[in-house]
Each structure stands twice: as C-alpha cells, then as structure tokens.
Amino acid sequence: MLKVLIPTVMMFPTIWLISPKWLWTGTIAHSLSIALVSLTWLKWTSETGWASSNMYLGTDPLSTPLLVLTCWLLPLMILASQNHINPEPISRQRLYITLLTSLQAFLIMAFGATEIIMFYIMFEATLIPTLIIITRWGNQTERLNAGTYFLFYTLAGSLPLLVALLLLQQSTGTLSMLVIQYSQPLLLDSWGHKFWWAGCLIAFLVKMPLYGVHLWLPKAHVEAPVAGSMVLAAVLLKLGGYGMMRMMIMLDPLSKEMVYPFIILALWGIIMTGSICLRQTDLKSLIAYSSVSHMGLVAGGILIQTPWGFSGAIILMIAHGLVSSMLFCLANTAYERTHSRTMVLARGLQLIFPLTAVWWFIANLANLALPPLPNLMGELMIITTLFSWSPWTIALTGAGTLITAGYSLYMFLMSQRGPTPNHIMKLQPFHTREHLLMALHLIPVILLVAKPELMWGWCY
C-alpha cells in the first residue's frame, strides 16, 4: 500500500520545487511511474483476501481494481489539462496539479482503508479538492451554483451515514472491515433500525448517483474543467458503489424487504436518464446523464446482493470509468477548438479530424456495450442477475440498452457527421498528446477483454 501512497505524497514537493519548464513533463512522468507501480497490486498472492501493510491500510480483490484505476487516471488528467491550464501563471498551474494529486492521495486512502470511519473521512475529504477545481477552474459563471449543488447534495446524504456508523460502533464495538464481517449479525427489527439501514446507504446512493438525487451530477460535470469531469466520472462515482458493496455485507437481514424501492428507482432511472440523453443539445451534459444511466445499472446489481450482481457491478464500474473519462476528454478536445459544447454548432468534424472521428466511434461503441468489451460483460451479468430476481426487470433493462444505443448513435452523428458549418474555420490540428491520451484510456479496456478475472475473481 505504502509503495504507492508515499510516492504520491512525494509528488507535492516535486510540483512546487521543479523548474517551470519541466513542470508538466516531470509531474506526468512521476504520476505515470506511480500508475505503473500500482499495477503490481493486480498480481494477487494473498490467500486470506486482505493484504495489509498496517492495521489501517490494506487491499483486497474488491478495492484493488479501483485503486489501480485511481492511480492510472492521474497522469491522464494532467495530460488532458495541459493545454488550457498552460496560459495561467505558474503558481496556479502548480496549485491545480497539487489539487489533482491530493485528490489521488485521498482516494487511495479511501479505497485502501480497513476502518470504515477512515473510509468515511477520506470519502468526505475528496469533496474539498473537487469543489476547488470546479469553482475555480470551471468554464462559466454557473460553476458556483454547480459547486453548491455538489457540496450540499453530498453532505446532506453523508451526515446520516456518520450517525449510522457511530451507532454501529456502539453496538458492535468495532468498525474494522477485517473484523466486522465475522461479528454477530445485528437483530434488526424496529423502525429505528430501518432508518439506520437507510442512513448507511443514502450517502452512497447520492454519490453514485441514484435517479432522483442525481441533479448535482450534470451541473458539476458541465461546469467542471476536463480533469474535474474525468475524475468525477471515473473515480468519484465509484466511491459510492464501493461504499455500498462494503456496507451491504452488514445490512443483510433488513435488506431483503428494504431494497425494493431503491432497485425500482435505479431501473426506472436507466430509462429516464437515457431518454433525457436523447433530448440533450449540450455534449458534456449528454455524457453526464449517460453516466447516471450506467450507474443505475450498477446500483441495481449491488442491491440484489448476489455474487453475479457484485461481479457485474465492479466490472461495469471499471469499464465505465475508463470509457466515460475518454468521452469527456474527446468532448474537451472539441470544445478547445470550437469553443462550444452545443452539438449543432460543432458538427461535421469528421471531415476535418478523421482520426479523432475514429476515437469518437470506438468510445461510443464502448459506451453502448459492444462485445467483447468489459462494458457488455458487466451489463450482461447485472441484467441476468436482475432477470433471475424478477423476470419483469428485463423490460426496463432491455429498453435501457436500446435507449443507450439510440443516444450513442445520436451523439456520434451530431458531433461527427453532417455538413460542416461555415463558421468553423482555422481549427488547430490535433496534437499527439491528445491521441496518446485516448490510447491510454482505450488500451486498458482492450486488455481487460483478454484477462477479465483481474476485475471479477474476488467473488469466487
């Protein structure tokens, strides 16, 4: 654990002491080396399930894929931000990279925590750098409004979780994930216990987000700079899914009857947010709503509590993290050139940037779950699990899959095909940096096709 956490902390002096000329090169090289070291976690040797370096930090097969995803994303975020942060004063550039690095440090400690209360503290700590990135480096004046939404939705959801955790500590005497799974199941029968159950999960359902408490997400995504959007879509939403998986183990007796409304809401959300996507004119907003739709499927898979559901959920979380991050990068490359996120005003780009159109095409196919990509594997496992729970769910998940295909096609046709508008002139050519960025998103997805057990081996 420390082999990644210590180099991440060592990035802070690097960022502030390195000469301005080497700032971007040095930080990208440093963060990429951390990402490469984190790949050693995938070689799993422990028999007991946990490999811990001390009492408070450890990895198990559930947190390992998410930790590697977190480490892999930092160099990509720095790479994506280089163009639009470069004109700023050097101190602000350093501050921006510092915030991204601190976000990675908090996320490593959140996913690696063995104490639930430490996970909670790190879960909340990720709010601060994200909020500064959105409100300071966002594009429009609405960024303050988006930051307020983001902060208050997340805080209002997670304060009941703190009370629920303190009650759990009082009744079991421990909050260690290593011990708590072996403790006596709680006798949960009163109304108070039902509120406690809801308190344990609502924070994570807001973070995922579940349809109904999702309004902060499109706002935050649209207003955030590219690195903010990437980390939000790729890792911060996954904190919600990870937290739910950890908590569902303890909530067992009550969950049988309590999960019904949440599963129904998650499945209904797939249909509703997919339909909203078909009406979007703003490119980033469309990708944000598609994230809500995919995370609804993940929420359904986790709430059912079967090994297939859990496996499908984690596979879909990893695959969606890489693919939606790639889509936000592509949207940003178009925005940096045309200065518009409205799809009608920046269409027909295939004629000007043919290779970029190929990246768009592949990213869209991955988003709509093309075989044999992990997106399809995760979706199929969750849909199968939901079908065995209740055959009626196939109507909702099937319609959701069709709508996903519809809005993906709509997004590709609106941004790449059609006549090029007359006002699009003198666009910068694409940089090698941007092609590298897309390749680094796509290569892990393709490699996971060859070895999917890196993500799902933990259930069996």
Side-chain angles (χ1 to χ4, degrees), residues 29-91:
H30 192 148
S31 56
L32 198 58
S33 60
I34 294 171
L36 293 172
V37 169
S38 76
L39 295 176
T40 57
W41 275 328
L42 295 172
K43 190 175 185 307
W44 196 250
T45 51
S46 168
E47 291 292 322
T48 55
W50 283 88
S52 47
S53 51
N54 56 34
M55 277 176 62
Y56 306 106
L57 289 172
T59 57
D60 77 332
L62 168 56
S63 59
T64 302
L66 293 161
L67 278 163
V68 175
L69 179 67
T70 306
C71 294
W72 187 250
L73 219 77
L74 180 63
L76 302 189
M77 288 191 291
I78 299 172
L79 206 56
S81 308
Q82 195 169 346
N83 196 36
H84 73 100
I85 301 292
N86 238 345
E88 297 203 5
I90 190 70
S91 59

Side-chain angles (χ1 to χ4, degrees), residues 365-386:
L365 288 179
N367 199 39
L368 64 82
L370 176 85
L373 296 175
N375 302 61
L376 178 83
M377 190 173 173
E379 283 189 24
L380 272 184
M381 287 179 91
I382 294 171
I383 290 169
T384 314
T385 298
L386 286 164

Side-chain angles (χ1 to χ4, degrees), residues 148-182:
T148 312
Y149 262 70
F150 172 61
L151 184 67
F152 281 95
Y153 262 87
T154 315
L155 277 183
S158 50
L159 285 175
L161 175 64
L162 180 60
V163 178
L165 290 179
L166 294 175
L167 284 167
L168 183 64
Q169 163 75 35
Q170 191 183 8
S171 58
T172 60
T174 179
L175 280 178
S176 170
M177 293 177 194
L178 306 168
V179 180
I180 209 160
Q181 55 193 348
Y182 303 116

Side-chain angles (χ1 to χ4, degrees), residues 64 77 95 102 191 204 209 217 276 307 314 342 360 363 384 396 442:
T64 302
M77 288 191 291
L95 179 62
S102 65
W191 270 99
F204 303 123
L217 184 83
I276 291 168
I314 193 161
T342 309
W360 268 107
T384 314
L396 291 167
L442 216 71

Side-chain angles (χ1 to χ4, degrees), residues 394-424:
I394 198 73
L396 291 167
T397 51
T401 310
L402 289 173
I403 293 169
T404 306
Y407 70 68
S408 295
L409 190 65
Y410 163 68
M411 175 160 66
F412 182 72
L413 292 178
M414 286 298 280
S415 62
Q416 301 304 306
R417 310 288 296 186
T420 309
N422 294 330
H423 65 267
I424 292 190

